Amino acid sequence: MLKDWMPRPAGEQNEQKARLKRSREELAALQMKLKENKLPVLVLVEGWGAAGKGSLIRSLIKELDPRFFQVVNMGRPTPEEQRYPFLKRYVQTIPEEGKIVFLDSGWMDEVVRQRQQKTIDSGEYELRLQSTEVFERQLVADGYLLVKLFLHIDRATQKKRLEALAADEDTAWRVSENDRWQQKHYGWAMDCFDEYLEATDTAWAPWKILNGGDEGGARAEAAEYLCRCIRAALAKRPGEGMMPDAHWPLLPMLPLSRIPLDVSLPEEEYRRRLKECRKKLARLHNRLYRKKVPVVILYEGWDAAGKGGNIKRLAGALDPRGYEVVPIASPTPPEKSRHYLWRFWTRLPKTGHIAIFDRSWYGRVMVERLEGFCTEADWKRAYNEINEFERELTQWGAVVVKFWVQIDKDTQLARFNDRQNTPEKQWKITDEDWRNREKWDAYEQAVDEMLQKTSTANAPWHIIESVDKRYARIKAMEIVIDAIERAL
Amino acid sequence: MLKDWMPRPAGEQNEQKARLKRSREELAALQMKLKENKLPVLVLVEGWGAAGKGSLIRSLIKELDPRFFQVVNMGRPTPEEQRYPFLKRYVQTIPEEGKIVFLDSGWMDEVVRQRQQKTIDSGEYELRLQSTEVFERQLVADGYLLVKLFLHIDRATQKKRLEALAADEDTAWRVSENDRWQQKHYGWAMDCFDEYLEATDTAWAPWKILNGGDEGGARAEAAEYLCRCIRAALAKRPGEGMMPDAHWPLLPMLPLSRIPLDVSLPEEEYRRRLKECRKKLARLHNRLYRKKVPVVILYEGWDAAGKGGNIKRLAGALDPRGYEVVPIASPTPPEKSRHYLWRFWTRLPKTGHIAIFDRSWYGRVMVERLEGFCTEADWKRAYNEINEFERELTQWGAVVVKFWVQIDKDTQLARFNDRQNTPEKQWKITDEDWRNREKWDAYEQAVDEMLQKTSTANAPWHIIESVDKRYARIKAMEIVIDAIERAL
C-alpha cells in the first residue's frame, strides 16, 4: 500500500489554508451532530517518527469543543500494562457515544514496532493481526466510526526533522530511540509498515495515507477526509447490519431440561473433598502466580441457584492477594455508552491473577436480550463477539472456566420462600427476582441457545447441578483445579 | 508504641479457635449490616515482612461474602504511579458504601520503607505524615471506618519464617529484597516503624498492634477487634460532627458584586496578544514536560459566562499530547458512594501534564450545598478539605490555577436568550440553567463564601471578568503563563 502510493502534488499554500479553515469549521459543526446522534468516533493517527502526527492532531482539533474530544498519547506499554492482553489499553481508550478520541499512535505502532525489531515471531504477529481485525470489526459493528490515518514521509525528510528537533533543548526529548532506529533501518521499517497497512486495510476501517512531507496538504486532506467520514456515518450508522458469518467448532451441550439434577454428596464426603480441594487450590495458586498464568472464571445461573455460596467456597481456598471477585450489576452510564465488552476488558485479571466474575458478558444474550436493553442485531451478533473475546483471552494464555449453575423451578421457589421468610436473608430477594421467575421459560430458551452457541473447546461451559449445594461446590472446585492443572 | 508494647500471653489453641470462629460468624452477619447502613470500611494491614499479613487477611475474610469485600495488594509504586502524588493510588482503592477493602500493606509500608532506606529526607517524611493525617482524617470525617492493624514479630521469628519460605520453590518468590533488608537491619527498621506508629496513632484512626508470633492469637484478636470497631461504627457513624478548626492564611477577595465588569479588549489588540500567548504557552508546555511539572487549572463560573470558549482558546495553545480537559458532570453511582474528592484524585494529571477541569471539586460548596445533595456538615467541612487537597497538590509540585468566570445577571439573560434563539446553540441551554438562574442570589452568596474561604497563597482564586469574552480569554491565558513561569 505504502510502496505504490503516490503523493498528491502539493497544492498552493493559500488554497490549502482555505480548505483547512473550511473543514475545521465544518468539523466543529459536525461535533455537535455527533453529540446529538450519539456517534462515537475513534481517530487513529499512525505514521513515521517525526512525520507530524502531533501537529496534525493539533490542527484537527483547533475548532473543536474540548469537552467532547480527547487526545490520547499511548506511548509504549508499561510493565504493568504488559501483564494484560496487548489490546486492553487501547480498548480502555475508546470514546463514549457522541465523543471523539484521537489516538496519537496506537495498536499499529505497537505491533509494527515489535515486528520491525523482531521481538515477536511471525506466528505471534499473525495473532496480533487477527486480534486487531476482531477489535476493529467489533467496534464498527457496534456503531463506532473508526478513522485510520497514516502519515508517510521519506527518509530524507525524516532525517532533516529529527536533526531539527534534536538541536533545541526544549524539543530534544521528542526524538526517541525508536525514531533514530527507524531512520537507520528505513527500508526494513518501510517493508513492515507496508505489510501491516495491507493486512489491516478493511472495508469497515480502511487506511488513509497522507503525505507528511507536505504539512499543509496533509492537514487539509485529513480534515476534509474526517468530515467526509463523519458525514457518511451520520447518514448511515457504521457497521449497520454487519453480521460476520462465523463457524465456530462448538462442543455439544444438552438442553437444560435434560440435565439430571438428582446428584448429591453426603456431608462427610463433602468435608473430605472440600479439604482436599482447598489444599490443591492453594498450591496451584502459588504456581499460577509464579508462572504468570491468568485465570478467568465466570458464574452464570438462575437466581438462588447458589452462585454466591459456590464462589465463596472457591474464593476461600485462594490467596486473597491473587484473586478478585468481580460482581457484575447493571452498567453505569459511562459503561452503557461504550461497547458492551468494554467493562469486561477493563476488569481482566493481570497475569498470575484470578478474576471470578459473578455474572458476566453473557448478560448480553440473556437479560439484555429478554428485557430489550439491546437490539436484536446486537444480541445476535454477540455470540460471535463473545467467542472472539474468549479466544483473545485464551490466546493471551488465560485459563477460562465458565459455569452455569443449574436448579429446577421448584427448587428456586423453595429458596425464594426461604429467603422471604428469613430476616437475615431478605436482602437477597427482590421484586425483580420474582418478575424474572415469571419469565423462566423464555430465559431457559435463551440460556439453551447461549450454551449451544458459545461452548468452544478453548472456553467450554460446565453445568453445575446445584440442587445439592455441596455437590455443586465440589464439582466447581474440581473443574477449576483440573483446568488449572492442565494449563500448568 | 512498638517498643513498649507487650504481647498478650498466647492463649490456649482451642480457645483461640473458638474465639476466631465466633468472631468470623459475627463478621459475616455484620457485613450485611454494613451493606444496609452503607458504611464503608477500610482495613489497613501493615507489619513486618513475613509477619503473616496475608494469612491474617485470609483468616478474616473466611466467612465473608466475596461480592462485598475486596483484598488489595498494593505492592511498590510503578514508575507510572510515581508520577502522581504518593497517596493517589491509595485513595483510588477506598471502598464504596457498604463494602470492605482490606489493604495488604499500604501507605505506611511505602513511607516507612522510604524512611528506613533513606530515600526521603526528614522534611519529606514530615510532609508524608501530614498528608497521611489529612487523608485518614478526611475519610473518617466522611463516615468511613478506618481500621489499622500492625503485625509485629521479633527478629528471630522473622528469620525462621523467611528461611522456610525461601526453601520451597513455590513460595520463594514471596521473600522480597526488602524482607531480607529488614532482617539485616532489624534494629533500625524497628526504630522507623515505632516512630511512624507513634506519629500516626490518632483518636479517629488508632493503631492496633498484634502479636504476629502467635498466629492463632493474632487472628482471634484481629477478628474480635474488627467486630468491635464495626459494631461501634454502626452504633455511631465514625467522624460524626468532626470539624477540624483550621486557620488558613487566606488572601482577601472582593465580593462579586463589587467587581467592575466594564473591562474590554479591542479586536486588534486581542488578536495580537492571543498570538503572543499562544507562542509563550507552546514553549512553556514543552518546558513543563521536560521538567515534569504538573499543572491543574480549574474553571468555575456562572452558566453562559464563557467557560467553554475560554477553555477552548487556552487548550488550543497547548500540545494535545500533554493536556486533558476534564468535564465534571454529576457523579456516577460508584463516585457518589465514595468520598467526594475521590473522583478528582483519580483524575489528576501526571507530572509534566496539564489537566483543565471544567467545573471541579468546588461543586460541593455550590450546587451540592444549595441543592441539598450533601448535608450541612459536609459542605461546611469541605472548605478545609479542599484547602488541604490543594495543598497536597502544590506540595507535590503542581501549579494550581483557579478561575471564577464572572458576568452579571443581565449578561447571562442576554446570552441565554441568544442560545435559545440560535438553533446551533440550543443544546447549550437547558431548563436546569433557567432554574439555577432563579437562585442567582443564593448562588452568589455561596460563591462569595467559597472565594473568601479557599483563596490560599498556594492556590489563589482569579476572577475573570467575562462580559467581554476577548478580555476574559487573554486574562486567563496570561495568568496561566505567569503561574507556570513562576513555577519554572
Side-chain angles (χ1 to χ4, degrees):
Chain A
M1 266 191 83
L2 215 48
K3 289 177 181 173
D4 50 22
W5 172 81
M6 291 286 291
R8 278 207 216 181
E12 198 256 316
Q13 252 204 349
N14 281 338
E15 179 251 333
Q16 286 178 347
K17 276 200 178 153
R19 281 165 57 207
L20 181 58
K21 188 161 179 289
R22 246 193 336 267
S23 301
R24 270 188 193 147
E25 277 161 15
E26 192 187 344
L27 267 183
L30 286 171
Q31 196 184 9
M32 296 307 127
K33 292 253 164 66
L34 292 182
K35 224 178 108 63
E36 253 168 61
N37 286 272
K38 303 194 166 192
L39 179 76
V41 181
L42 183 53
V43 182
L44 176 65
V45 182
E46 299 275 6
W48 292 89
K53 298 188 286 289
S55 36
L56 176 67
I57 293 177
R58 260 176 93 155
S59 157
L60 289 173
I61 63 176
K62 192 146 183 240
E63 295 301 325
L64 297 182
D65 186 324
R67 285 170 295 181
F68 309 121
F69 77 84
Q70 211 191 337
V71 177
V72 182
N73 183 17
M74 293 301 303
R76 306 189 60 177
T78 64
E80 177 74 9
E81 285 169 338
Q82 286 169 10
R83 295 185 65 180
Y84 293 95
F86 91 98
L87 278 175
K88 182 192 175 230
R89 62 195 195 112
Y90 303 108
V91 174
Q92 225 154 352
T93 67
I94 62 170
E96 293 186 86
E97 297 168 347
K99 299 203 177 180
I100 312 180
V101 164
F102 294 88
L103 276 192
D104 186 348
S105 300
W107 53 95
M108 172 179 181
D109 186 67
E110 182 170 341
V111 172
V112 173
R113 190 181 293 208
Q114 291 172 324
R115 176 85 174 129
Q116 287 169 339
Q117 310 203 339
K118 297 179 181 155
T119 54
I120 53 175
D121 64 28
S122 63
E124 288 166 308
Y125 177 69
E126 287 304 325
L127 286 180
R128 296 267 196 286
L129 290 182
Q130 188 195 59
S131 302
T132 303
E133 192 266 341
V134 168
F135 168 54
E136 295 185 354
R137 176 169 39 72
Q138 287 200 8
L139 279 186
V140 176
D142 194 48
Y144 278 71
L145 169 60
L146 175 57
V147 178
K148 303 192 298 192
L149 308 175
F150 185 89
L151 268 174
H152 186 40
I153 47 174
D154 61 32
R155 189 170 198 162
T157 309
Q158 190 186 43
K159 183 157 190 259
K160 213 170 60 194
R161 291 199 186 158
L162 292 177
E163 282 168 358
L165 285 171
D168 180 339
E169 69 161 350
D170 281 338
T171 57
W173 58 269
R174 286 171 180 268
V175 180
S176 69
E177 213 41 62
N178 191 57
D179 293 339
R180 271 187 275 267
W181 184 93
Q182 274 184 359
Q183 174 60 210
K184 207 167 144 192
H185 307 85
Y186 189 91
W188 165 241
M190 168 80 134
D191 289 345
C192 295
F193 279 137
D194 193 46
E195 185 188 44
Y196 184 93
L197 289 168
E198 286 281 359
T200 56
D201 191 46
T202 54
W204 52 85
W207 281 103
K208 173 76 176 170
I209 299 175
L210 298 166
N211 180 8
D214 168 22
E215 277 200 307
R219 286 175 189 181
E221 208 181 337
E224 286 171 350
Y225 179 68
L226 186 53
C227 284
R228 245 180 2 254
C229 291
I230 294 176
R231 276 198 309 266
L234 288 169
K236 182 175 181 299
R237 196 80 175 178
E240 214 174 279
M242 216 163 124
M243 190 71 72
D245 183 32
H247 296 286
W248 293 88
L250 295 166
L251 305 178
M253 296 292 293
L254 273 183
L256 290 181
S257 59
R258 286 180 49 203
I259 292 168
L261 292 171
D262 54 346
V263 282
S264 65
L265 269 189
E267 175 76 20
E268 202 179 325
E269 193 185 340
Y270 170 67
R271 294 258 158 251
R272 189 180 53 72
R273 280 166 74 177
L274 182 63
K275 215 168 150 186
E276 243 171 60
C277 285
R278 290 177 59 88
K279 229 159 80 185
K280 277 191 196 162
L281 274 170
R283 183 144 190 99
L284 286 172
H285 200 187
N286 271 324
R287 286 183 57 204
L288 276 180
Y289 189 88
R290 193 157 55 85
K291 303 213 162 172
K292 301 221 174 291
V293 176
V295 179
V296 174
I297 300 167
L298 72 86
Y299 280 79
E300 294 285 356
W302 299 104
D303 290 329
K307 288 192 300 295
N310 204 305
I311 291 174
K312 191 162 144 180
R313 296 319 180 289
L314 173 62
L318 302 171
D319 184 330
R321 289 176 286 194
Y323 79 85
E324 197 178 339
V325 174
V326 187
I328 299 298
S330 338
T332 63
E335 290 168 348
K336 220 176 314 195
S337 71
R338 290 184 171 86
H339 190 284
Y340 80 100
L341 286 174
W342 183 75
R343 62 186 180 132
F344 305 106
W345 268 102
T346 54
R347 280 171 172 139
L348 292 177
K350 54 185 166 186
T351 52
H353 283 241
I354 299 177
I356 304 174
F357 286 88
D358 182 359
R359 305 197 185 275
S360 70
W361 40 94
Y362 284 97
R364 188 72 160 191
V365 295
M366 295 193 292
V367 57
E368 292 187 38
R369 164 185 178 174
L370 290 172
E371 307 295 337
F373 298 152
C374 63
T375 68
E376 188 177 337
D378 286 338
W379 64 259
K380 285 197 166 163
R381 206 175 53 236
Y383 300 111
N384 181 55
E385 288 178 338
I386 287 172
N387 287 340
E388 289 179 329
F389 174 57
E390 291 174 355
R391 185 181 57 190
E392 283 303 308
L393 300 183
T394 52
Q395 276 177 357
W396 164 49
V399 176
V400 177
V401 181
K402 307 189 299 197
F403 292 129
W404 175 262
V405 187
Q406 172 67 1
I407 50 172
D408 56 85
K409 220 174 154 181
D410 291 345
T411 304
Q412 189 188 53
L413 183 63
R415 291 187 186 165
F416 275 16
N417 283 330
D418 177 49
R419 288 180 175 184
Q420 204 85 66
N421 300 327
T422 317
E424 314 87 81
K425 293 186 186 167
Q426 271 165 14
W427 65 273
K428 284 186 169 189
I429 180 114
T430 65
D431 290 349
E432 208 191 319
D433 295 332
W434 287 104
R435 274 198 301 278
N436 289 341
R437 177 174 165 78
E438 279 168 30
K439 300 184 189 159
W440 180 288
D441 294 343
Y443 270 96
E444 181 165 323
Q445 204 189 335
V447 173
D448 274 334
E449 187 173 355
M450 165 186 97
L451 296 173
Q452 303 296 337
K453 292 191 170 168
T454 58
S455 201
T456 54
N458 56 306
W461 276 104
H462 300 277
I463 308 295
I464 302 295
E465 300 85 347
S466 189
V467 171
D468 179 60
K469 290 182 180 176
R470 290 191 298 251
Y471 176 88
R473 290 167 190 167
I474 298 299
K475 180 167 177 182
M477 288 174 96
E478 289 181 348
I479 288 171
V480 170
I481 289 169
D482 180 59
I484 297 177
E485 271 175 350
R486 274 184 294 127
L488 295 168
Chain B
M1 265 191 84
L2 214 49
K3 289 178 179 171
D4 50 23
W5 172 81
M6 292 286 291
R8 278 206 214 182
E12 198 256 317
Q13 250 203 351
N14 280 339
E15 178 252 334
Q16 286 178 346
K17 277 200 178 155
R19 282 165 56 206
L20 181 58
K21 188 160 179 290
R22 243 191 340 265
S23 301
R24 270 188 194 147
E25 279 160 14
E26 192 188 343
L27 267 183
L30 286 171
Q31 195 184 10
M32 296 306 128
K33 291 252 165 66
L34 292 183
K35 224 178 107 63
E36 252 169 63
N37 286 271
K38 304 193 166 194
L39 179 75
V41 181
L42 182 53
V43 183
L44 175 65
V45 182
E46 299 274 6
W48 292 88
K53 298 188 285 287
S55 36
L56 176 68
I57 293 177
R58 259 177 95 155
S59 157
L60 290 174
I61 63 175
K62 191 143 185 244
E63 295 302 325
L64 296 183
D65 186 325
R67 285 171 295 181
F68 309 121
F69 76 83
Q70 210 192 337
V71 177
V72 182
N73 184 16
M74 293 301 303
R76 305 188 61 177
T78 63
E80 177 75 9
E81 286 169 338
Q82 286 170 9
R83 295 185 65 180
Y84 293 95
F86 91 98
L87 279 174
K88 182 193 176 230
R89 63 196 195 111
Y90 303 108
V91 174
Q92 227 155 350
T93 67
I94 62 171
E96 294 186 84
E97 298 169 347
K99 299 203 177 181
I100 311 181
V101 164
F102 295 88
L103 276 192
D104 186 347
S105 299
W107 53 95
M108 172 177 182
D109 186 66
E110 182 171 339
V111 172
V112 173
R113 190 181 291 208
Q114 291 172 323
R115 176 85 175 130
Q116 286 169 340
Q117 310 202 342
K118 298 180 182 156
T119 54
I120 52 174
D121 64 28
S122 62
E124 289 167 307
Y125 177 69
E126 287 303 324
L127 285 180
R128 296 267 195 286
L129 290 182
Q130 188 195 59
S131 302
T132 303
E133 192 265 341
V134 168
F135 169 55
E136 296 185 352
R137 175 170 40 71
Q138 287 200 7
L139 279 186
V140 176
D142 194 48
Y144 278 71
L145 169 61
L146 174 57
V147 178
K148 303 193 298 194
L149 308 175
F150 184 89
L151 269 175
H152 185 41
I153 48 173
D154 61 33
R155 187 169 199 162
T157 309
Q158 190 187 44
K159 182 157 190 264
K160 215 170 59 195
R161 291 198 186 159
L162 291 178
E163 282 167 357
L165 285 171
D168 180 339
E169 68 161 353
D170 281 338
T171 56
W173 58 269
R174 287 171 180 266
V175 180
S176 69
E177 214 40 63
N178 191 57
D179 293 340
R180 271 187 275 266
W181 185 93
Q182 273 184 0
Q183 174 61 210
K184 207 168 145 192
H185 307 84
Y186 189 92
W188 165 241
M190 168 81 132
D191 289 345
C192 296
F193 278 137
D194 193 47
E195 185 188 43
Y196 184 94
L197 291 168
E198 288 280 359
T200 57
D201 191 45
T202 54
W204 52 85
W207 281 103
K208 173 77 177 168
I209 297 174
L210 298 166
N211 181 7
D214 169 23
E215 278 201 306
R219 286 175 190 182
E221 207 179 336
E224 286 171 349
Y225 179 69
L226 185 53
C227 284
R228 243 178 7 251
C229 292
I230 294 176
R231 275 198 309 265
L234 288 169
K236 182 176 181 299
R237 197 78 175 180
E240 213 174 279
M242 216 164 125
M243 190 70 72
D245 183 31
H247 298 285
W248 292 89
L250 295 167
L251 304 179
M253 296 293 292
L254 274 183
L256 290 182
S257 59
R258 285 180 49 203
I259 292 169
L261 292 173
D262 53 347
V263 281
S264 65
L265 268 191
E267 176 75 21
E268 201 179 328
E269 191 185 342
Y270 170 68
R271 294 262 157 247
R272 188 179 54 71
R273 281 166 73 176
L274 182 63
K275 215 169 152 186
E276 242 171 62
C277 285
R278 289 177 60 89
K279 228 159 79 187
K280 276 192 195 160
L281 274 169
R283 185 148 186 96
L284 287 171
H285 200 186
N286 271 324
R287 287 182 58 205
L288 276 179
Y289 189 88
R290 192 158 54 86
K291 302 213 162 171
K292 300 220 174 294
V293 176
V295 179
V296 174
I297 300 167
L298 71 86
Y299 280 81
E300 294 285 356
W302 298 104
D303 290 329
K307 289 194 299 295
N310 204 305
I311 291 174
K312 192 162 144 180
R313 295 321 178 289
L314 173 63
L318 303 171
D319 184 331
R321 290 177 285 194
Y323 80 84
E324 198 179 339
V325 175
V326 188
I328 298 300
S330 339
T332 62
E335 291 168 347
K336 220 178 312 197
S337 71
R338 289 183 170 87
H339 190 285
Y340 80 99
L341 286 174
W342 183 75
R343 61 184 179 134
F344 305 106
W345 268 101
T346 53
R347 280 171 172 136
L348 292 177
K350 53 185 167 186
T351 53
H353 283 242
I354 299 178
I356 303 175
F357 287 87
D358 183 359
R359 304 197 186 275
S360 70
W361 40 94
Y362 284 96
R364 188 72 160 192
V365 294
M366 295 193 292
V367 57
E368 292 188 38
R369 164 184 178 176
L370 290 172
E371 307 296 337
F373 298 153
C374 64
T375 68
E376 187 178 338
D378 286 339
W379 64 260
K380 286 199 165 160
R381 206 175 52 235
Y383 300 111
N384 180 55
E385 288 178 339
I386 286 173
N387 287 340
E388 289 179 328
F389 174 57
E390 291 174 356
R391 185 181 57 191
E392 284 302 308
L393 299 184
T394 51
Q395 276 177 357
W396 163 49
V399 177
V400 176
V401 181
K402 306 189 301 198
F403 291 130
W404 175 263
V405 187
Q406 171 67 0
I407 50 172
D408 57 85
K409 219 173 155 181
D410 291 344
T411 304
Q412 188 187 53
L413 182 62
R415 291 187 186 166
F416 275 15
N417 283 331
D418 176 49
R419 288 180 176 185
Q420 204 85 67
N421 300 328
T422 318
E424 316 87 80
K425 293 186 185 166
Q426 270 163 17
W427 65 272
K428 283 185 167 189
I429 180 114
T430 64
D431 291 349
E432 209 191 318
D433 295 332
W434 289 104
R435 274 197 302 278
N436 288 342
R437 178 173 165 79
E438 279 168 29
K439 300 184 191 160
W440 180 288
D441 294 344
Y443 270 96
E444 181 166 324
Q445 203 189 338
V447 173
D448 275 333
E449 186 173 354
M450 167 186 96
L451 296 172
Q452 302 298 337
K453 292 190 169 166
T454 59
S455 200
T456 54
N458 55 307
W461 276 104
H462 300 277
I463 307 295
I464 302 294
E465 299 85 347
S466 189
V467 170
D468 179 61
K469 288 182 180 177
R470 291 192 297 251
Y471 176 89
R473 289 168 190 167
I474 298 299
K475 179 166 177 183
M477 288 174 96
E478 289 181 349
I479 289 171
V480 170
I481 289 170
D482 180 60
I484 297 177
E485 272 176 349
R486 275 185 292 126
L488 294 169

